[in-house]
Amino acid sequence: LTWILYCNRESGHSYKIALALALIGLRHELRAVDLRLPHDKRPLDFQATSLFGEVPVLIADHLPPITQSNVILNYLAEHTRKLDGHTPQARLRIREWLGWEANRIGFSLPNLRFSRCFTPMGTAIENWLADRLMADMRRLETALQKQPYLVGDQLTIADISCAGYLYFADQIKLDLTPWPCISGWLDRLAAEPGWQHPYALIPEA
Ligand SMILES: N[C@@H](CCC(=O)N[C@@H](CS)C(=O)NCC(=O)O)C(=O)O
């Protein structure tokens, strides 16, 4: 049974999963969903599987469809025992980063990008998001000063989750030179066999 990932190439949340699948080397089919369509005009198979009407959704094995990028990453790590920590403490710390991502870098960066690249939300909102993003960058930079990856010395789903949207940094003119540890970390991830930029990995809808 081939796994199916419903995704969109502009969605960093989708990218996180497409990237994890590529790095782990799991056979899968990407089904790009056109998010410009109203919810009720999207493909019926997608509508039937997506609990919140969002991408990504993973159809894996005989399980019910899995939504929420970090829940999917957690499933992939537990199912394959790859990209996960080797001790209970490491596995907990990894999942703490997944929770952090959902409300911090996976919130500030995509919403700032949405306002700057797609639908402007006004200066006050952009400034608030930009301030939040700078705080998130400081948090990541500090964590990566101590070690090459967010948890320990190996790549895990924590890195994939927190790095995903940063490959769109140029689109919001986020200069990475003041962030040497983050830059090095993004380069290390990009050097992994199977790594590809979001637009190379996910086809157009
Ligand atoms: N918390 C969700 C966020 C997913 C999300 O926001 N998906 C967006 C694209 S990035 C989406 O599908 N939005 C539905 C729409 O545009 O109608 C996750 O981590 O998977």
Side-chain angles (χ1 to χ4, degrees), residues 57-125:
V57 179
L58 181 71
I59 314 289
D61 295 327
H62 299 286
L63 294 172
I66 312 172
T67 71
Q68 295 296 311
S69 57
N70 290 331
V71 174
I72 302 172
L73 287 177
N74 177 58
Y75 170 74
L76 292 176
E78 292 196 337
H79 177 78
T80 64
R81 297 175 177 268
K82 294 196 175 138
L83 301 174
D84 209 351
H86 296 303
T87 63
Q89 290 88 336
R91 288 193 286 274
L92 281 176
R93 184 51 45 89
I94 287 164
R95 282 142 185 88
E96 289 171 348
W97 276 110
L98 297 187
W100 178 84
E101 188 273 351
N103 188 46
R104 298 297 323 193
I105 193 87
F107 175 88
S108 55
L109 202 162
N111 283 305
L112 185 58
R113 173 172 172 254
F114 185 74
S115 184
R116 289 201 180 150
C117 303
F118 299 100
T119 306
M121 291 188 284
T123 315
I125 291 177

Side-chain angles (χ1 to χ4, degrees), residues 10-14 16 35 37 39 42 46 52-56 67-70 101 165:
E10 300 294 353
S11 157
H13 297 299
S14 298
K16 286 149 56 174
L35 298 178
L37 295 172
H39 283 254
R42 295 176 187 174
F46 170 69
F52 301 110
E54 298 174 334
V55 290
T67 71
Q68 295 296 311
S69 57
N70 290 331
E101 188 273 351
Y165 265 100

